[in-house]
Every structure is written in structure tokens, then in C-alpha cells.
Amino acid sequence: MRTRWALRAGVSAVGALALFLAGGPTAFAATACGGQSCLTVDANGRYVLRASATPAPDGDFVGLFHMYGGGLDGKSALRHWRPGQLYGMALGRKVPDRTWICVDGWRKLDEGGFAPHGHACVQVHQ
């Protein structure tokens, strides 16, 4: 009985060590800002969890965000965006190495139509 227990404990320890040594790339969150729009991509290597857009610290505006790349393609609601308010999209899958994920901010004009309000991109890599 004790031999079986010792064997199980030894196999468990070896398995845990193998998982620790073979652990994949570490998780990261990369942020980029361009103009008045910022983008944060949460990933673990090439596995992208989500991407989030927010106005720059001094960039509140009435308009929308367009997020695209790596299988994402979506537009936020048209609203008043303030710094710290997030428009996020979940991806939850691997993307090809060196994939670009981008966001464009679009400010609504009083006379109708939209004007660019910033462009930011983050490259996902191993």
C-alpha cells in the first residue's frame, strides 16, 4: 500500500514539474494609442482573449469605435464616450503570428457624417 502511494506521489510530482517547465508563453496586455483612441489587447501568446477600446485621457467624444483584425470586425454603439469607458470584443482563439488588431475612433459631426478621431493598432506575436 505504501509503495503504491509513493509511486503515485512521485508520478504526480514529475507531472507537475513537466507542466511547469512546458508552460506556454506568458499572458500580456498590450496598449497603443493613436490620436484620441486607445486599444488594449489581452492575449496569451497568439491566443487573444479580448480587445478593448477607450478614448484617450483627454479624448471624450460623441461617436463610435470600429474594431477589426484577427477575426474581429465590429462597431460600437453611437454614444458619448468618456475616458475609461470601454468598448470590448471577445475573441477567445489563436490568431496567426504577427496579426494586427486595430481600432478607429469616429467622431459624429454636428452637420452630419463622421470624422476620424484616432487610430491605434496592436500586433499579436509569440
Side-chain angles (χ1 to χ4, degrees), residues 9-114:
V11 169
S12 295
V14 169
L17 180 62
L19 283 175
F20 176 76
L21 294 176
T26 57
F28 74 92
T31 300
C33 293
Q36 298 298 313
S37 297
C38 295
L39 172 68
T40 298
V41 175
D42 297 315
N44 188 350
R46 293 182 310 137
Y47 185 86
V48 177
L49 302 168
R50 69 179 291 112
S52 304
T54 188
D58 60 345
D60 68 319
F61 69 106
V62 174
L64 57 86
F65 289 110
H66 177 212
M67 194 177 304
Y68 54 94
L72 297 172
D73 187 14
K75 292 183 181 172
S76 70
L78 174 62
R79 57 172 282 189
H80 184 183
W81 290 95
R82 293 178 179 88
Q85 294 177 328
L86 299 176
Y87 166 61
M89 293 183 71
L91 187 57
R93 68 176 180 84
K94 281 188 175 180
V95 297
D97 195 24
R98 307 220 180 273
T99 294
W100 287 96
I101 296 176
C102 299
V103 68
D104 295 326
W106 292 96
R107 181 172 44 88
K108 183 157 178 27
L109 300 173
D110 292 337
E111 60 275 3
F114 292 88

